[in-house]
Amino acid sequence: NKHNYFKESGLRPRPFIFINFIIYYIMAKKQKTKEKEVVEETYFEEEVMVEEKELPIETPKNTWEIKDRTYFLRGRKKPISYALKSTGVYFFDEEKGYERELKYCQNQQTAFVDEMKGDQRLSHIVFRNGVLHVPRQQTVLQKLLSLYHPHRDTIYLEWRPVKKAEDDMEILEMEADAMLAARNMDIDMAEAIMRVESGSSVTDMSSKELKRDLLIFAKKQPKLFLELADDENVTLRNFGIKATEMGILTLSSDQRTFKWASNDRKLMNVPFDEHPYSALAQWFKTDEGMEIYSNIEKRLNQ
């Protein structure tokens, strides 16, 4: 006992040491109390099971439409009987990277020789009067003609009503545009276009005759008419022809040189292999040609 020790020895404990002892004693007791109160905590990790769902496998869609199909030979000639080559032809397979031999056999379910099984009974592909009708049940022949045969779109075509209707609609719209443009076209432009079509005979036409022939031309050849209407050289070419017809310009007999008719002074040489009036139209766009154009225009309007 520390208290008896200090009493028997006659020593008095120092206050500082005694206080430290008390503090140490209290802290040690608290530490033991905390250790008793410690509760062991156990953590349990719950295993979560994730159900894996199988993604559906997308199968390629078969875009082939089962229907009756008609094929016809190209060109105006429609022979009574025409046999299309049904063997010894090849199709380049992009996926496989090589050519595959084709053969039409009615007892096979494919047109590819490397996929055929058993006997190969060769059949003929015959157009009658330029036409071949293939019923919907004969899909092998239809696929051979529509997809694989090398003569597709060259010797024969598949009749597609929708595409034909689209083509007809495009032609009708073009024809309507050409007729409207011809109706509203001024007489000088009409003369320029008809000179391309009819030549120098337009000089003797009346304005009504010119307008009539212009409308007929627009109806028969709408594409060419619209191209000529948008070609600025048509007007310049007609301008040069009129200047020559009225004796303002002259064209040499070899059609290589344009001159002033009044003094025989040379204006321009026509480049080799070019139409003289097309070359003159291009020359009118140059600086020198624009001055000559203005001079000729004044003379034509006198």
Side-chain angles (χ1 to χ4, degrees):
N1 192 315
K2 290 183 179 182
H3 182 69
N4 293 334
Y5 169 77
F6 285 116
K7 187 176 180 181
E8 291 175 358
S9 62
L11 297 175
R12 297 180 65 186
R14 295 181 181 180
F16 179 76
I17 296 175
F18 181 75
I19 291 171
N20 284 345
F21 174 77
I22 295 299
I23 292 172
Y24 174 79
Y25 177 77
I26 293 171
M27 294 296 292
K29 198 164 186 178
K30 283 185 177 181
Q31 184 66 27
K32 288 182 179 181
T33 306
K34 284 183 179 180
E35 289 177 358
K36 290 180 180 180
E37 293 177 354
V38 170
V39 178
E40 292 184 359
E41 296 182 0
T42 305
Y43 297 93
F44 297 94
E45 293 185 0
E46 183 179 355
E47 186 176 354
V48 180
M49 299 296 293
V50 179
E51 183 180 354
E52 295 183 359
K53 294 183 179 180
E54 292 185 2
L55 296 175
I57 299 174
E58 294 185 2
T59 56
K61 295 181 180 179
N62 185 5
T63 57
W64 179 259
E65 183 182 357
I66 299 177
K67 64 177 183 179
D68 296 338
R69 297 175 188 269
T70 302
Y71 306 87
F72 58 91
L73 297 176
R74 298 193 64 170
R76 295 183 178 180
K77 294 182 180 180
K78 306 297 180 185
I80 297 175
S81 177
Y82 177 84
L84 185 70
K85 200 171 182 181
S86 59
T87 183
V89 291
Y90 296 85
F91 170 77
F92 182 76
D93 194 321
E94 295 285 349
E95 293 183 359
K96 296 183 181 294
Y98 58 84
E99 283 189 327
R100 304 174 67 187
E101 185 179 358
L102 298 168
K103 185 186 292 186
Y104 175 51
C105 302
Q106 285 187 340
N107 68 323
Q108 296 289 337
Q109 296 182 357
T110 178
F112 292 106
V113 175
D114 55 11
E115 294 178 352
M116 292 183 178
K117 298 177 182 179
D119 295 336
Q120 300 174 8
R121 301 174 189 172
L122 183 65
S123 301
H124 298 289
I125 305 173
V126 181
F127 287 76
R128 304 291 182 185
N129 296 317
V131 180
L132 173 61
H133 300 287
V134 183
R136 62 197 301 272
Q137 296 85 355
Q138 298 181 11
T139 55
V140 175
L141 178 56
Q142 286 188 357
K143 288 184 178 181
L144 173 61
L145 294 172
S146 298
L147 302 177
Y148 309 127
H149 204 287
H151 294 159
R152 174 173 57 94
D153 296 335
T154 55
I155 292 179
Y156 69 92
L157 294 170
E158 180 181 352
W159 184 63
R160 295 183 175 89
V162 176
K163 189 175 187 306
K164 186 176 185 303
E166 291 176 354
D167 293 342
D168 290 344
M169 191 66 186
E170 184 179 351
I171 293 172
L172 288 172
E173 289 178 352
M174 187 183 298
E175 185 179 306
D177 292 341
M179 293 288 288
L180 183 62
R183 182 180 177 183
N184 298 329
M185 188 171 288
D186 62 76
I187 197 68
D188 291 334
M189 188 63 182
E191 181 184 346
I193 290 177
M194 288 310 300
R195 194 178 292 277
V196 175
E197 175 67 11
S198 305
S200 59
S201 61
V202 298
T203 306
D204 300 326
M205 287 184 180
S206 65
S207 58
K208 288 186 177 181
E209 289 174 334
L210 191 61
K211 205 72 173 178
R212 177 202 62 198
D213 288 358
L214 185 71
L215 288 169
I216 294 173
F217 176 52
K219 183 176 177 61
K220 287 184 176 180
Q221 301 186 57
K223 185 177 180 181
L224 176 59
F225 175 85
L226 292 173
E227 288 176 355
L228 291 173
D230 291 335
D231 186 0
E232 61 178 4
N233 288 336
V234 171
T235 305
L236 294 175
R237 198 159 47 233
N238 182 58
F239 182 84
I241 293 171
K242 286 176 67 175
T244 305
E245 289 178 348
M246 295 186 67
I248 299 174
L249 300 180
T250 59
L251 177 62
S252 61
S253 58
D254 60 357
Q255 297 194 339
R256 295 293 94 193
T257 307
F258 280 100
K259 300 178 181 179
W260 283 114
S262 57
N263 55 17
D264 208 33
R265 183 168 65 88
K266 185 177 72 173
L267 292 177
M268 66 160 292
N269 290 324
V270 178
F272 183 71
D273 276 351
E274 281 195 29
H275 189 279
Y277 289 103
S278 296
L280 181 62
Q282 290 292 338
W283 183 74
F284 279 143
K285 296 178 183 180
T286 64
D287 293 339
E288 182 183 1
M290 290 176 67
E291 293 180 4
I292 301 299
Y293 181 90
S294 299
N295 192 327
I296 296 173
E297 189 175 29
K298 291 177 182 177
R299 298 189 185 193
L300 288 174
N301 294 330
Q302 287 180 354

